[in-house]
Amino acid sequence: MMRHQPIWKALRSIAALLVLLGGLSSAVYAQFNGPALTSAGALNEPVTLTTDPTILYPPKHDLRLFPGDLIVVHLYPASDYGPMVRVSLDGSIQLPLIGTLHVQGLTIAEAQKLIADTLIAAGMY
């Protein structure tokens, strides 16, 4: 029985550490989540049913590029060209090998085609 005594001491130490950590993490559960709901606020407001096709089938919304957006360009199968660029305040991007392109307001697909066409015209792809 004497051989197992150090193991029990280690297990007690681990258990004490877990109890201590459990006591410290209880502060996480006591965070403020905003004001309490009152009976004055409607929880489940009634929904008006509709057959309006503009509501049921909204038009496709393509993402458009604007200043501050981050673009990563990948050429397949070439793995050595993969610049990550941010759309500047004037709406342009600076890509290696092809230079500056204006992409503000373009959809992702339009910007992709512009970059591909420019790379092809420059003889880089």
Side-chain angles (χ1 to χ4, degrees):
M1 286 305 269
M2 297 303 276
R3 291 184 301 176
H4 300 288
Q5 188 174 8
I7 294 172
W8 289 110
K9 284 184 179 180
L11 289 176
R12 273 189 258 145
S13 298
I14 291 171
L17 181 63
L18 290 176
V19 168
L20 176 65
L21 290 176
L24 293 176
S25 66
S26 64
V28 174
Y29 297 113
Q31 292 181 355
F32 177 69
N33 290 328
L37 294 175
T38 62
S39 61
L43 295 177
N44 294 321
E45 296 179 4
V47 176
T48 305
L49 298 177
T50 182
T51 57
D52 185 3
T54 58
I55 295 173
L56 294 175
Y57 307 104
K60 184 177 171 185
H61 295 287
D62 288 326
L63 295 176
R64 299 204 173 264
L65 296 173
F66 289 100
D69 288 345
L70 189 64
I71 300 173
V72 179
V73 179
H74 292 285
L75 292 181
Y76 297 103
S79 63
D80 57 342
Y81 188 84
M84 182 183 300
V85 295
R86 191 169 297 277
V87 179
S88 66
L89 291 176
D90 66 350
S92 63
I93 57 173
Q94 180 77 31
L95 287 171
L97 305 177
I98 58 174
T100 304
L101 296 174
H102 186 76
V103 295
Q104 181 175 354
L106 297 179
T107 64
I108 303 286
E110 292 169 343
Q112 177 181 336
K113 181 169 176 15
L114 174 66
I115 293 168
D117 290 345
T118 307
L119 282 168
I120 291 169
M124 300 297 165
Y125 185 67

